[in-house]
Amino acid sequence: MSLTEAQLEAWGERVGASLRAPAFIALRGDLGAGKSVLARAIARGAGVTAAMPSPTFNLVFRYAAGAVDVVHLDLYRLEREDEVWELGWRELGAAAEIVLVEWPERAESLLPEDRWDVHIGTTEPHLRTVMLQAYGSPPPLPPLPAGASQEPAGSGERRT
């Protein structure tokens, strides 16, 4: 089943409100799938009140959200995986941070062991499919709304 954009945003806000930092979420999907929509919703839920422009051209934005920082990266424009080091990649997730990365495929071998991969797809113009994959031992996420699929990764355990 699919989620409306409003359902995706509502779930993202629940994620941001409940997620224990440090946390790393890799947002995967085609252009226009809803990665930035979800990133903004997670940040709002975590307490970010500032406007959040797309990091496509700046590559990385950092937002203070009370007890945590939200770091939003977009790796789409990277040509080589090793370019992430210039973005402060080594320090990401080392403190009380929620790290949201769009286009994580550009740094696939450098992604942290403990993370969530959120796959977003479009089934119709206003509907999104969402699949979650846990790698390692990331902090728990709230359950997806009814109808969204959840697939385990790595250890074969289902994570919610």
Side-chain angles (χ1 to χ4, degrees):
M1 246 198 219
S2 299
L3 302 177
T4 65
E5 189 170 300
Q7 289 172 314
L8 181 65
E9 287 186 85
W11 178 73
E13 289 179 10
R14 285 195 311 276
V15 169
S18 67
L19 191 59
R20 278 189 344 261
F24 192 102
I25 300 176
L27 301 169
R28 299 177 184 270
D30 293 334
L31 283 170
K35 299 179 297 296
S36 292
V37 168
L38 182 57
R40 287 183 188 104
I42 292 170
R44 273 194 312 276
V48 172
T49 57
M52 289 183 63
S54 173
T56 300
F57 294 103
N58 292 67
L59 303 180
V60 61
F61 284 115
R62 180 178 295 274
Y63 303 91
V68 300
D69 285 348
V70 175
V71 183
H72 184 198
L73 298 97
D74 186 327
L75 306 182
Y76 182 77
R77 292 186 25 207
L78 296 186
E79 293 182 18
R80 295 182 330 276
E81 189 173 72
D82 65 350
E83 291 178 293
V84 297
W85 301 118
E86 297 172 28
L87 304 175
W89 189 262
R90 185 172 282 114
E91 293 80 27
L92 289 177
E97 293 180 336
I98 297 172
V99 180
L100 307 169
V101 179
E102 296 186 43
W103 300 99
E105 302 83 4
R106 303 285 204 254
E108 195 72 47
S109 73
L110 301 174
L111 295 175
E113 180 180 316
D114 297 328
R115 72 175 190 274
W116 283 100
D117 278 17
V118 179
H119 301 264
I120 305 171
T122 55
T123 55
E124 295 179 32
H126 302 290
L127 296 176
R128 304 292 182 258
T129 58
V130 178
M131 186 183 69
L132 305 177
Q133 289 181 294
Y135 289 87
S137 297
L141 296 180
L144 287 164
S149 65
Q150 297 184 42
E151 294 291 328
S155 67
E157 295 180 37
R158 175 166 285 181
R159 304 283 304 203
T160 59

